[in-house]
Amino acid sequence: MKQYIKPHPWKIIEEGLLPEYNMVSESIFSLGNGKIGQRGNFEEYYSGDTLRGNYISGIYYPDKTRVGWWKNGYPEYFAKVLNAPDWIGIKISVDGQKLDLNTCKITEFKRVLNMKKGYFRKRYTAEFLDGKKIKVKSKRFLSIVNDELSVIKFSIKPVNFDGEIEIITDIDANISNQDANYDEKFWIEIEKSTAVKPYLISETKKTFFRVCTAMENIAEFDGKEIEFLNLEKIEKEKYIALKFTLPVKKGKTTRLFKFASVSSSMNYDKTNLAKAAYDTLEYATEKGYEALLFEQEQAWKNKWEESDIVINGDVSAQQGIRFNIFQLNQTYTGQDERLNIGPKGFTGEKYGGSTYWDTEAYLLPFYLSTADEKVSKQLLKYRYNHLEKAIENATKLGFNSGSALYPMVTMNGEECHNEWEITFEEIHRNGAIAFAIRDYANYTGDNSYLAKYGLEVLIGISRFWAQRVNFSEEKQKFVMLGVTGPNEYENNVNNNWYSNTLVCETLKYTEKVLQEIKNKYPSNYKKVISKVNLDKKELSNWKKIYTNMYFPYDEKRKVFLQQDGFLDKELKPASKLSHLERPIHEHWSWDRILRSCYIKQADVLQGIYFFEDDYDIDTIRRNFYFYEPMTVHESSLSSCVHSILAAKIGDKEKAYEFYLNASRLDLDDYNNDTNDGLHITSMGGTWMTIVKGFAGMRIKNNLLSFKPFIPEQWQDYSFNIRFRGSLLNFEVSKKEILIKNESNKDIEIILFEKKQKITGNNIFKMKLVK
Ligand code: BGC
């Protein structure tokens, strides 16, 4: 754990350059705009530890897999989000001495992420070997107004000399991924030019995504545009640059504005890429830096109006939650149904930028409540568009008749993960997709989604479950064998309670949706039924399964059992483990982990969290206190579910403890792995711990329902929620609850089990009794 980020409600601040934490900071200071993402790398030379990374959503490479023993059914490749051509470079030399932040003497260093306004800035003083000193400031943003545009303002002020500085401003496609399996470079050069505005077109091998990266540089001295002196245009293999000198004067600032545009074949015809990139540059230079920055700040203001959470009385909690919300808004904007959210977003290479069940289980709720319905709908459509591929995937594994198995890890709908216990067995991801459809329909009340898209997905998944279970003569029940639940510290288990629960819940829900769509959207119903060829016999089989499914249960403790045989394990609380053995996945052999009772992340509790209404509070409590002590929480997905359930059973202290783990996971680098990138999934989870945990938000019979409490450590907290055309501001203090209906429409909500009506543009107040 590190605590070098200075507390501030709206800013992330690092003071003093800490080379040993540089890669952590590069992740923390990442910027994104839903289409492109850029780690907080230096524009300048930096010879210290760094993970240079900038990524374009949707642009990936199918890297050849590396596995020890090949198993039938394994995918041939592992998709990787690609480190894209590097556009930030502004390299400075003074009298032949390079400004390298690792070797020059750097003082007064400060990096700041301004979350309110959506930019990153840094400043420092550098001293060269000959004693010359310069003060440098830079500000950079990835426009969320024009998501193909990025801007840098770079200022240099000599402290003790007059003269000239040399600048190289470049675009570099000679880049690679640190996680490349065979050290291969993934980009080839197609075309480049430095004749007018420099641009470079590169293309990915195998996937043939083409990207044009272009730049325009404008220098300014004393507020006036100045010429580049000694201009040299450099063109090398996969590299272009402008090298020039600028006059500098002691105490006066010389500035360089670098506008960069990125256009890709995801959005343009390959022959039009340079033109598209030029159009963006023209838009940028016509507007000018200040207007672009203003536009950016306004756009962020709007985002915050919809999604902010305010916490008074605890500035580090405030900083933590805003950081999470900022990153969630940077990562996904819902503009493009081909895009999804990688567990690390655009902030690193880990997890390949691919889509996991994380999206449906942990991220959808944030977008559902804080953005237009269209945004979360896009996430669901992504899976609808991959239905054919999910059917192919299931067919490849021996299933038939339209069974769909969604991949554990994917870029384009194809499975690209190969560890047998995950690829073939961690099939619960299918259930999370069905759950997300239900979640969306419950939240939005938009059944037209079900009619047009959702139903087909539900049928495909239900068919898979129906074939994946089998009837046990011995038990006279349906069972599901050989699975891995969310607790990846158990593999190939029989009757994972969570997965069996998902089977039944999906089958029941599909049956209900079929009925609803038949009644309300008969023509859609007919279309879907004839397209998928659904037989009545299938429906009766589904009913047989969900009414006769086997669930392992411990009569003595009255708890659900994670899987068959769980009680044969030596049951010991994780608190008995020495801290030298934690995390166990770094210290124990795999077989020892598998034999132990230790649980990586919520498993039975994940199911209880999803289907909470099916269980009474005592059942939830018993299961929570049975499983939580054996849980090592070695996935960042664990804390939030535990926090929400702890809040549900009234264990406020535990709820807060888990919230703390999640909320500053990256800012304090809790798990020593933020250098790889940020834990975007956990960020969605943190938002949920406040809104669903502390405020107890649920949807009950088409109404928003709340049961709020406030952690002792806070004075008050408030958040904004969008719900079916209304915008609510919900505030909880030690004394009262205040709900502002910010829209014209009246809204009815449930507060502590009682209905309350809040008229349009009005405030509702209630005393909070302890
Ligand atoms: C977790 C998975 C998760 C993945 C990506 C793993 O450590 O066990 O549940 O999908 O990380 O976040």
Side-chain angles (χ1 to χ4, degrees):
M1 176 158 162
K2 307 176 179 63
Q3 277 178 319
Y4 68 99
I5 298 294
K6 305 279 169 285
H8 188 286
W10 279 107
K11 292 178 184 165
I12 306 300
I13 305 166
E14 175 191 5
E15 274 172 353
L17 181 57
L18 305 166
E20 66 279 26
Y21 296 166
N22 184 49
M23 281 166 66
V24 175
S25 292
E26 287 178 337
S27 300
I28 291 176
F29 292 96
S30 290
L31 292 175
N33 63 9
K35 193 179 270 174
I36 46 181
Q38 168 67 52
R39 280 171 61 83
N41 304 126
F42 295 124
E43 290 92 3
E44 302 87 333
Y45 293 110
Y46 186 69
S47 56
D49 281 346
T50 177
L51 172 64
R52 269 190 102 75
N54 98 84
Y55 312 95
I56 307 171
S57 196
I59 295 199
Y60 68 93
Y61 180 77
D63 202 11
K64 231 171 122 238
T65 52
R66 248 195 346 205
V67 283
W69 296 93
W70 189 261
K71 302 222 162 29
N72 240 352
Y74 267 172
E76 302 281 333
Y77 70 89
F78 187 83
K80 296 211 156 111
V81 68
L82 284 192
N83 191 8
D86 186 344
W87 54 269
I88 63 170
I90 299 178
K91 285 132 185 177
I92 310 293
S93 302
V94 174
D95 294 338
Q97 306 164 96
K98 280 184 178 174
L99 170 59
D100 177 342
L101 272 73
N102 191 41
T103 54
C104 283
K105 187 173 165 203
I106 303 292
T107 51
E108 299 169 298
F109 179 90
K110 192 168 176 177
R111 266 193 262 215
V112 177
L113 184 66
N114 188 320
M115 301 185 283
K116 189 171 191 172
K117 300 183 172 173
Y119 64 75
F120 161 65
R121 70 178 163 85
K122 69 175 188 313
R123 60 136 216 251
Y124 58 89
T125 302
E127 186 176 341
F128 295 92
L129 278 178
D130 67 358
K132 289 200 172 75
K133 273 190 189 177
I134 53 172
K135 283 185 183 291
V136 175
K137 279 188 189 172
S138 73
K139 200 182 259 187
R140 155 164 113 208
F141 59 92
L142 269 53
S143 171
I144 57 167
V145 180
N146 182 334
D147 58 15
E148 292 176 0
L149 173 68
S150 307
V151 183
I152 302 172
K153 176 167 98 171
F154 199 92
S155 316
I156 302 159
K157 185 158 81 175
V159 176
N160 54 2
F161 70 99
D162 291 345
E164 275 183 354
I165 50 164
E166 183 193 274
I167 297 184
I168 298 175
T169 164
D170 58 11
I171 295 173
D172 186 0
N174 201 9
I175 32 101
S176 51
N177 271 43
Q178 282 192 1
D179 69 350
N181 282 343
Y182 297 90
D183 293 332
E184 198 187 343
K185 297 227 168 170
F186 301 132
W187 294 92
I188 55 162
E189 180 188 306
I190 299 292
E191 187 184 320
K192 64 182 173 241
S193 164
T194 49
V196 198
K197 290 173 193 170
Y199 71 85
L200 191 143
I201 300 182
S202 36
E203 189 171 83
T204 58
K205 293 182 192 164
K206 290 189 192 165
T207 36
F208 309 110
F209 288 110
R210 210 172 263 198
V211 170
C212 176
T213 315
M215 63 173 170
E216 171 125 56
N217 295 275
I218 296 171
E220 202 183 88
F221 180 73
D222 234 357
K224 283 193 208 85
E225 194 171 327
I226 50 166
E227 296 272 310
F228 300 152
L229 305 175
N230 308 311
L231 177 63
E232 201 185 312
K233 296 178 171 184
I234 304 172
E235 293 191 9
K236 286 195 282 195
E237 171 74 15
K238 298 195 232 178
Y239 180 85
I240 51 168
L242 298 182
K243 182 171 165 189
F244 51 87
T245 55
L246 291 179
V248 289
K249 256 197 154 49
K250 185 172 145 187
K252 293 252 183 195
T253 302
T254 299
R255 286 199 180 89
L256 181 76
F257 295 94
K258 180 170 184 177
F259 302 95
S261 69
V262 174
S263 49
S264 85
S265 55
M266 295 261 305
N267 302 305
Y268 300 96
D269 190 275
K270 283 190 176 173
T271 54
N272 270 338
L273 290 176
K275 168 156 188 337
Y278 270 23
D279 287 350
T280 303
L281 289 180
E282 208 171 295
Y283 161 88
T285 46
E286 260 173 30
K287 279 221 150 168
Y289 173 82
E290 291 303 333
L292 292 169
L293 183 62
F294 179 74
E295 200 176 74
Q296 173 82 344
E297 292 174 6
Q298 288 306 304
W300 271 103
K301 188 164 173 265
N302 295 340
K303 285 218 183 263
W304 285 113
E305 264 162 28
E306 296 190 321
S307 56
D308 195 15
I309 294 186
V310 179
I311 300 172
N312 285 312
D314 186 341
V315 68
S316 85
Q318 176 66 85
Q319 187 182 39
I321 189 63
R322 284 217 173 106
F323 181 64
N324 292 329
I325 295 171
F326 181 70
Q327 293 297 346
L328 289 165
N329 278 327
Q330 290 205 111
T331 307
Y332 188 73
T333 54
Q335 304 282 329
D336 186 336
E337 66 185 39
R338 295 165 300 174
L339 305 182
N340 206 284
I341 308 164
K344 300 260 167 194
F346 296 120
T347 66
E349 298 173 2
K350 193 161 177 209
Y351 295 120
S354 303
T355 307
Y356 284 63
W357 72 299
D358 301 35
T359 297
E360 283 79 13
Y362 298 91
L363 293 163
L364 183 80
F366 169 78
Y367 299 101
L368 260 180
S369 295
T370 62
D372 191 279
E373 245 167 65
K374 281 188 233 147
V375 174
S376 34
K377 196 170 185 169
Q378 294 282 52
L379 286 173
L380 299 191
K381 276 180 85 183
Y382 176 89
R383 295 295 193 176
Y384 173 77
N385 294 338
H386 290 176
L387 179 59
E388 282 307 311
K389 289 260 167 67
I391 293 174
E392 264 173 43
N393 187 34
T395 311
K396 208 167 119 188
L397 302 184
F399 299 87
N400 53 44
S401 315
S403 294
L405 174 61
Y406 279 91
M408 184 67 189
V409 178
T410 193
M411 270 291 179
N412 63 355
E414 285 165 15
E415 177 65 82
C416 61
H417 190 280
N418 35 24
E419 283 166 288
W420 64 269
E421 64 278 20
I422 294 180
T423 311
F424 306 139
E425 294 204 329
E426 213 176 321
I427 50 180
H428 67 81
R429 71 247 187 179
N430 241 17
I433 292 165
F435 175 79
I437 294 174
R438 195 182 90 151
D439 207 15
Y440 172 87
N442 279 350
Y443 197 91
T444 61
D446 169 21
N447 278 355
S448 70
Y449 175 78
L450 290 173
K452 279 203 209 137
Y453 312 102
L455 179 59
E456 246 183 276
V457 174
L458 289 170
I459 293 172
I461 294 176
S462 294
R463 283 175 159 166
F464 172 79
W465 289 139
Q467 290 178 32
R468 186 60 168 76
V469 300
N470 65 278
F471 189 73
S472 156
E473 288 298 333
E474 168 75 19
K475 290 191 165 68
Q476 286 296 302
K477 290 268 182 194
F478 286 93
V479 293
M480 191 155 69
L481 310 179
V483 305
T484 296
N487 171 21
E488 291 172 345
Y489 290 175
E490 299 275 1
N491 300 150
N492 199 39
V493 300
N494 294 337
N495 294 311
N496 170 253
W497 182 88
Y498 172 66
S499 305
N500 285 12
T501 301
L502 288 172
V503 169
C504 297
E505 293 289 344
T506 315
L507 296 178
K508 273 190 257 178
Y509 185 60
T510 309
E511 182 184 80
K512 178 171 165 246
V513 171
L514 275 165
Q515 201 52 48
E516 265 173 28
I517 303 304
K518 190 175 180 181
N519 297 340
K520 289 197 203 128
Y521 300 89
S523 70
N524 286 83
Y525 177 81
K526 269 200 201 132
K527 225 159 102 191
V528 174
I529 298 302
S530 75
K531 178 173 171 193
V532 304
N533 222 344
L534 188 72
D535 193 320
K536 277 205 182 110
K537 274 196 223 134
E538 283 186 75
L539 284 175
S540 59
N541 185 36
W542 295 354
K543 192 176 223 114
K544 246 201 266 161
I545 295 170
Y546 75 68
T547 46
N548 284 299
M549 191 77 193
Y550 172 72
F551 290 98
Y553 187 71
D554 175 18
E555 289 293 348
K556 199 168 96 203
R557 296 175 182 84
K558 302 211 173 319
V559 293
F560 306 122
L561 287 178
Q562 190 175 268
Q563 74 254 0
D564 286 353
F566 186 76
L567 289 178
D568 294 336
K569 287 174 181 271
E570 200 181 341
L571 304 183
K572 279 194 298 194
S575 58
K576 290 267 185 290
L577 290 167
S578 144
H579 71 277
L580 298 172
E581 299 173 280
R582 307 285 296 266
I584 58 171
H585 71 86
E586 279 178 19
H587 296 94
W588 284 13
S589 67
W590 191 243
D591 68 302
R592 189 172 172 200
I593 292 180
L594 293 178
R595 279 183 277 118
S596 82
C597 67
Y598 297 121
I599 301 169
K600 183 181 181 190
Q601 66 201 86
D603 195 297
V604 166
L605 296 182
Q606 181 75 36
I608 293 183
Y609 156 69
F610 270 176
F611 305 107
E612 176 196 282
D613 287 342
D614 294 352
Y615 311 104
D616 62 44
I617 199 84
D618 288 335
T619 305
I620 302 179
R621 202 170 275 133
R622 275 196 309 274
N623 280 280
F624 184 86
Y625 290 122
F626 180 66
Y627 284 109
E628 194 286 318
M630 291 184 279
T631 307
V632 284
H633 304 289
E634 288 178 10
S635 156
S636 66
L637 278 53
S638 197
S639 296
C640 61
V641 172
H642 285 88
S643 179
I644 296 169
L645 286 182
K648 168 89 188 167
I649 59 177
D651 192 337
K652 296 179 190 171
E653 265 175 44
K654 272 223 167 304
Y656 189 69
E657 196 184 304
F658 284 120
Y659 156 79
L660 280 185
N661 280 340
S663 95
R664 293 184 61 92
L665 181 69
D666 288 312
L667 286 183
D668 294 340
D669 194 14
Y670 253 60
N671 294 345
N672 281 322
D673 62 355
T674 296
N675 51 337
D676 284 343
L678 303 174
H679 299 81
I680 300 296
T681 312
S682 159
M683 294 181 168
T686 311
W687 178 89
M688 291 201 291
T689 59
I690 297 184
V691 176
K692 293 188 167 196
F694 303 161
M697 187 187 89
R698 303 285 188 277
I699 307 299
K700 304 259 170 188
N701 298 326
N702 288 307
L703 298 180
L704 275 175
S705 156
F706 298 93
K707 264 192 199 167
F709 74 88
I710 177 161
E712 281 298 316
Q713 293 79 349
W714 297 355
Q715 254 162 38
D716 59 62
Y717 68 100
S718 63
F719 56 85
N720 297 332
I721 283 290
R722 289 174 72 132
F723 183 72
R724 304 191 184 185
S726 302
L727 180 66
L728 290 187
N729 177 269
F730 195 92
E731 188 180 317
V732 188
S733 68
K734 295 242 159 45
K735 289 195 195 116
E736 63 182 10
I737 298 162
L738 225 121
I739 309 170
K740 286 182 218 149
N741 183 350
E742 312 253 14
S743 45
N744 297 329
K745 241 171 78 181
D746 297 353
I747 184 168
E748 209 172 33
I749 64 157
I750 304 173
L751 195 57
F752 296 112
E753 322 272 350
K754 251 180 84 185
K755 273 194 188 164
Q756 305 286 357
K757 186 170 170 183
I758 312 170
T759 47
N761 300 307
N762 243 314
I763 301 182
F764 170 89
K765 270 191 194 180
M766 182 193 238
K767 280 221 168 337
L768 195 60
V769 270
K770 271 208 166 179

